[in-house]
Amino acid sequence: GKVERNFFLGIRTPWSLASERNWLATHRFGGKVFVVAGAIGLGASIVHPSILTIAALVLAASFAPAAYSFWYFTKHERKSERSLE
């Protein structure tokens, strides 16, 4: 949540790069998602170690912030674009 908007680090979706607000919201959400996925992965690896479980968590943790970034854009940014017209 503390990385400034750039083209090299972070969750770089077209929507998060287009807006500073979207960038911050996406990275705060992504940080929480990765912490939760890590905790679930740790617990899952102790209970039932499986590479498929870990792969599914990594994929879910990767796609969730991208989907959130798009949702945030449609919810907040498009509304402000329409008000300018």
Side-chain angles (χ1 to χ4, degrees):
K2 308 249 183 200
V3 176
E4 293 182 13
R5 186 169 53 164
N6 65 76
F7 291 96
F8 302 107
L9 294 172
I11 303 164
R12 299 176 318 265
T13 64
W15 314 288
S16 67
L17 290 171
S19 161
E20 186 70 29
R21 289 183 344 179
N22 192 323
W23 178 270
L24 290 173
T26 299
H27 282 79
R28 288 194 177 150
F29 175 77
K32 293 173 187 173
V33 167
F34 280 107
V35 167
V36 169
I40 293 171
L42 180 63
S45 66
I46 292 170
V47 173
H48 180 63
S50 168
I51 192 72
L52 293 176
T53 305
I54 302 304
L57 281 169
V58 168
L59 285 173
S62 299
F63 286 116
Y68 177 82
S69 178
F70 179 72
W71 173 84
Y72 190 92
F73 175 76
T74 58
K75 183 81 171 170
H76 299 282
E77 304 298 327
R78 278 194 183 165
K79 189 183 299 182
S80 64
E81 285 178 6
R82 280 185 258 165
S83 65
L84 295 175
E85 294 176 348

